[in-house]
Amino acid sequence: MTGQRPSTRRAEALFRASLRILPEPIRGLYEAEMRADFETLARDEAARSGARLWSATLRATLDVVKIGMVERGRRGPLTRWLTRWEGIREGMMDWFRELRMAGRSLARRPAFSGIAALTLGLGIGATVAIFAVVDSVLLRPLPFPESDRIVEVRHHAPGIGLDELNNSEGTVVFYQAQTDLFSVFGAFDAGNFNLAGQDEPVRVRAARFTPEIFDVLQTRPALGRPLTHADAAEGAPGVAILSHELWASSFGSDPGVLGQTIYLDDRPAEVVGIMPAGFVFPRPGNQVFLPLPISDDPQFGAFGMGGVGRLAPGMTLEMAAQRVSDLQARAAELDPEITLEALEGWGWAASVRTIKESLVGDSRPAIMIVLGTVSVLLLIALANVANLFLVRSDGRQREMAIRGALGAGSGRIARTYLAESALLGGMAGITGLALAGLGLEGIVALVGDELPRVQDVNMTAGGLGLTATLSLAAAMALGVLPMARRQGAFAETLRDGGRGSTHGAARHRVRHFLVTGQLALALVLLVGSGLLLRSFMALRATDVGFDGRDVVTVGLSFGEGEREAQAQFYRDVIEGTAALPGVTSVGASAALPLISSSSNGGSFHIEGEPEQEGDLPMVTLYKAFTPGYAETLGIELLAGRPHTWSDLSDDAQNVWVNREMADQFLGGVNEALGKRISVDGDSVIYFSEIVGVFETVKTNGIDNDDAPMTYFPLLNGEASRGPMEWMALTVEAPNGPTSVVPAIRELVRAADPRVPVTAVRTMDDIRSEATADTSVTLILLGIVSGMALLLGAIGLYGVISYTVSQRIQEIGVRMALGADRGQVQGMVLRQSVMVTAGGVILGLLGAFALSRVMATLLFGVSATDPVTFLTVPVVLALVSVLSAWLPARRASRVDPALALRAD
């Protein structure tokens, strides 16, 4: 044939080659007929795709080959394979036909198909989205070689109120010497610096590393070199490594930046490396990496460094934990002033955990609870769709009975149900995948930096596999359930004209059971949401020790320098801000309330009170503040006098303490006045007189215990306590706190154009951040619980509506015999009450089990909070009654004459 398409020529060549296999007699008998069939296929090529022609030709070719093999007496493996393939092909064609019929059937009922696919898709999508979070945060290893062998060492001294301590220079050097435990051990800490050289100075987050960190992580800069011990030596020129993100955003990804000098807090640093894209350690957001020096005489105290090591070959995590614990008996060797008795009194201990565990922290319970919650939602959605399928199968009893009478076996009928469920499962999977993508974006936007490893959260092959698995499992469950109920009922259906099998309580039992399960699971989720809501309300209602309304905080980053210059700059800005229109009060502090780890701490001594050997040291947090700070935040002065500018002379040496400090160590609020204390064991010149006692302010989060606090004058020159590189300005402006920020920026620029303004936020924002973990979990759990309640209500409504439709004749007879509308409504509502009561009982049992799991997430509320456990069942019952009221109302309006005539 001329003018053939390539696909036709290839198919014809395949066909002719297969003819050669046939014996001559057979070829003579059948060749003309087979050629005619092929010519027909070829002529129809314009109406069919090349793939369909190839498929048809291949089937014909295989038939030819099989005939030829049989005629030649070759009944070997190839013949058996061809016979088996023919059976498989026929089975596949049967399935394709069933799928086409199922597709047409579902298309004729778009409401049923759409609701079922969307309902199941919601459950699949929510589960897949949260699984993606779990996979990214908890399951996926960190992007470092053998990251499970990288561990962090932390210390604990609960006897003196220090439950969590990092490492000191002394402990870092100590662990570096334990080569049987760690093949390499390094230290790090964090800081912030002003980066100059831009249009405006910017505040950058920095991490300082000992050189060993690069060997611990087995990671090197993408460009340049890592840090070395020579970089950390005293007097060495400054060097810095940039993050890939800072290199791209501020330096245009220019490789020529290597060797250039940047200025951090006005100190020069040569850029010697660029880290790989996506490098995150120890926390997200670090933009600059600097050398961390270790002194030649490392001390035991000042636990301000993180410590991580790579386990030595053959060392397991359990072995390392025991070894580190045993080593603490030698901690006294690090400081001659520390005795074993003192360590025992402190409850001194150390722990080891992988850096992934350290990074995930306390988020694991919340994430796992949310994952369990959406899994429950998936079960509710599946039960809801199963009810829809059962209702639909009831309506198809006569159709299936006729098919059975005409010879369709149970397998053929089961295939019909499975084909429909497979299509619905596929539709639900596609819908769920789309919803999971949207949900994942929403979760990342909602939680922001509150979720560890948030930058790693994305959809992976595991998420796609889970979607396919859930879709397939749902399809199998939905397809098998109707068949299991209908087995052997076809003859009865035909005999009773399609009505017999729809009467009696047995036909409702499965649907009632499914709805009862839905309501029980919904109640469990609602109780969990209720407990979190009560916990969140308790957090918000907690007295934090200050007011803070109409207060905005502005971070000022002067950087390192002479204290006198720092003090003068801050005082100029404070006085200028106080003169701005709309500002009623202004102050400043080196640390803000509620922000974890925002304050320093140390031991202190009371003048004139001797300390016995072996006594546990008294410990206080401390921070510096200016006049106006307490007044701006509304911190109550309980005794003594407020802080004034006259306290800033070098010889004043006055301090203030909080109520917790006074009650715990100083004999009470009034008794504390006039006593003199020295923080961190300073010489007698720094013994300071207590001249005031403030109300205790929550310092390290709302849910942490109150801690003793000492306040030092911030601008007291060389006598100031703590760092002064960063200060938070607190400004009260009742007419709109953020409205004064532009004017403050101008004041700062006029005082020193090198100083960036950072961290602008209101005190209300800070308080919200302090409850962010609970609020995020509450929002996610609340959304899922609301969806579960809605699906449960829809399921109950559907079952009651269907029951009413099937009992129309019965209701007509009752009303003809004298039953009024109220009695009919009561009959229907009683059925809903029984289903709801079963769901409430089962749900309460499950909720009591859940409450024990959630206990670690709660604050100020019992895991068996009676308010929650009484309120939620009432809410569920009201929703259930409302769901059943509409069908009951419709049943009471049935016309008896029409109902009996229909019968």
Side-chain angles (χ1 to χ4, degrees), residues 116-138:
L118 181 59
T119 300
L120 195 54
L122 282 172
I124 292 175
T127 304
V128 171
I130 298 300
F131 171 79
V133 174
V134 172
D135 178 46
S136 301
V137 177
L138 302 182

Side-chain angles (χ1 to χ4, degrees), residues 568 570-580 586 645 729 747:
Q568 187 61 50
Y570 292 138
R571 185 161 185 173
D572 289 344
V573 173
I574 291 171
E575 291 176 347
T577 303
L580 293 175
V586 61
W645 291 108
L729 202 66
L747 283 172

Side-chain angles (χ1 to χ4, degrees), residues 377 380 518-519 522-523 525-526 784-795 875-876 879-880 883:
L377 177 66
I380 294 175
Q518 288 182 63
L519 295 178
L523 187 140
L525 299 187
L526 286 171
V784 174
S785 300
M787 293 169 62
L789 180 61
L790 177 62
L791 290 177
I794 291 173
V875 171
L876 183 67
V879 172
S880 299
S883 300

Side-chain angles (χ1 to χ4, degrees), residues 153-437:
V153 178
R154 297 181 68 84
H155 302 87
H156 317 278
I160 53 177
L162 299 175
D163 293 333
E164 290 284 340
L165 288 168
N166 282 318
N167 282 265
S168 65
E169 290 186 346
T171 60
V172 169
V173 173
F174 178 68
Y175 293 129
Q176 286 177 340
Q178 313 305 318
T179 55
D180 62 325
L181 175 58
F182 300 111
S183 59
V184 61
F185 192 89
F188 62 90
D189 69 6
N192 295 278
F193 295 89
N194 296 340
L195 174 62
Q198 315 296 312
D199 294 335
E200 288 189 3
V202 293
R203 194 69 169 168
V204 295
R205 294 180 60 179
R208 299 198 300 170
F209 292 165
T210 61
E212 291 82 6
I213 290 293
F214 295 94
D215 293 323
V216 171
L217 303 179
Q218 292 187 1
T219 301
R220 293 292 185 270
L223 295 175
R225 65 171 178 84
L227 301 172
T228 67
H229 285 286
D231 295 326
E234 185 177 355
V239 297
I241 295 177
L242 306 182
S243 71
H244 190 278
E245 292 70 25
L246 181 64
W247 177 54
S249 62
S250 297
F251 299 94
S253 300
D254 179 13
V257 73
L258 292 178
Q260 292 185 11
T261 298
I262 61 174
Y263 289 87
L264 300 170
D265 286 351
D266 293 334
R267 294 185 177 183
E270 178 188 352
V271 178
V272 298
I274 309 294
M275 293 305 293
F279 175 79
V280 175
F281 184 84
R283 291 291 184 268
N286 288 320
Q287 299 161 289
V288 179
F289 304 94
L290 306 171
L292 175 61
I294 300 291
S295 69
D296 295 332
D297 184 23
Q299 300 298 310
F300 178 75
F303 288 78
M305 298 178 175
V308 293
R310 182 171 286 273
L311 295 178
M315 181 66 64
T316 65
L317 184 64
E318 294 74 16
M319 294 166 60
Q322 184 60 51
R323 179 91 169 92
V324 166
S325 179
D326 294 340
L327 285 172
Q328 300 314 303
R330 296 174 51 192
E333 301 174 8
L334 304 177
D335 193 327
E337 296 183 3
I338 297 177
T339 64
L340 286 175
E341 291 76 12
L343 291 175
E344 292 176 359
W346 298 352
W348 183 260
S351 61
V352 174
R353 58 181 179 178
T354 65
I355 58 169
K356 188 168 83 169
E357 286 293 326
S358 173
L359 188 62
V360 171
D362 298 332
S363 63
R364 178 185 292 272
I367 293 175
M368 295 308 296
I369 284 177
V370 174
L371 177 62
T373 298
V374 297
S375 301
V376 171
L377 177 66
L378 177 60
L379 291 177
I380 294 175
L382 183 60
N384 216 320
V385 176
N387 256 328
L388 291 176
F389 244 71
L390 291 178
V391 169
R392 176 164 162 72
S393 68
D394 281 346
R396 302 180 67 185
Q397 290 180 89
R398 188 168 183 81
E399 172 197 343
M400 295 302 173
I402 292 174
R403 292 179 64 175
L406 293 176
S410 298
R412 169 75 71 173
I413 295 174
R415 198 156 55 204
T416 300
Y417 285 123
L418 285 173
E420 286 195 6
S421 65
L423 286 180
L424 274 179
M427 294 165 56
I430 295 172
T431 303
L433 197 59
L435 293 175

Side-chain angles (χ1 to χ4, degrees), residues 381-654:
L382 183 60
N384 216 320
V385 176
N387 256 328
L388 291 176
F389 244 71
L390 291 178
V391 169
R392 176 164 162 72
S393 68
D394 281 346
R396 302 180 67 185
Q397 290 180 89
R398 188 168 183 81
E399 172 197 343
M400 295 302 173
I402 292 174
R403 292 179 64 175
L406 293 176
S410 298
R412 169 75 71 173
I413 295 174
R415 198 156 55 204
T416 300
Y417 285 123
L418 285 173
E420 286 195 6
S421 65
L423 286 180
L424 274 179
M427 294 165 56
I430 295 172
T431 303
L433 197 59
L435 293 175
L438 295 175
L440 206 55
E441 292 181 6
I443 291 172
V444 172
L446 175 66
V447 301
D449 293 337
E450 300 301 326
L451 182 69
R453 303 186 67 187
V454 68
Q455 73 283 348
D456 296 333
V457 175
N458 53 38
M459 189 67 67
T460 62
L464 298 177
L466 179 63
T467 303
T469 301
L470 293 177
S471 302
L472 179 61
M476 292 294 295
L478 293 174
V480 169
L481 186 60
M483 195 61 196
R485 295 180 66 233
R486 300 302 172 198
Q487 193 72 20
F490 298 135
E492 180 186 356
T493 300
L494 289 175
R495 183 176 61 251
D496 295 337
R499 293 174 297 159
S501 63
T502 65
H503 289 279
R507 68 187 176 87
H508 300 302
R509 192 171 297 125
V510 175
R511 285 194 294 275
H512 287 175
F513 172 77
L514 290 173
V515 174
T516 298
Q518 288 182 63
L519 295 178
L521 293 174
L523 187 140
V524 171
L525 299 187
L526 286 171
V527 167
S529 296
L531 290 174
L532 273 183
L533 177 60
R534 295 269 293 160
S535 181
F536 181 75
M537 293 171 62
L539 277 173
R540 296 292 294 180
T542 299
D543 183 8
V544 293
F546 66 91
D547 185 351
R549 285 177 293 181
D550 300 323
V551 174
V552 65
T553 68
V554 179
L556 302 179
S557 305
F558 187 87
E560 295 184 2
E562 295 293 332
R563 284 187 177 269
E564 292 299 338
Q566 294 172 328
Q568 187 61 50
F569 166 78
Y570 292 138
R571 185 161 185 173
D572 289 344
V573 173
I574 291 171
E575 291 176 347
T577 303
L580 293 175
V583 174
T584 58
S585 180
V586 61
S589 172
L592 290 169
L594 300 181
I595 299 178
S596 179
S597 303
S598 65
S599 300
N600 295 306
S603 60
F604 72 95
H605 306 277
I606 303 174
E607 187 179 35
E609 294 188 9
E611 299 174 8
Q612 301 297 323
E613 184 176 352
D615 285 350
L616 298 180
M618 299 177 291
V619 177
T620 178
L621 297 176
Y622 63 83
K623 67 179 179 180
F625 75 136
T626 71
Y629 170 77
E631 291 79 3
T632 301
L633 289 182
I635 303 174
E636 183 182 358
L637 181 66
L638 303 177
R641 64 173 179 82
H643 184 13
T644 65
W645 291 108
S646 62
D647 293 306
L648 302 184
S649 62
D650 286 346
D651 57 351
Q653 302 306 322
N654 296 323

Side-chain angles (χ1 to χ4, degrees), residues 605-609 676-678 684 687:
H605 306 277
I606 303 174
E607 187 179 35
E609 294 188 9
R676 294 170 60 84
I677 61 173
S678 174
V684 69
F687 268 104

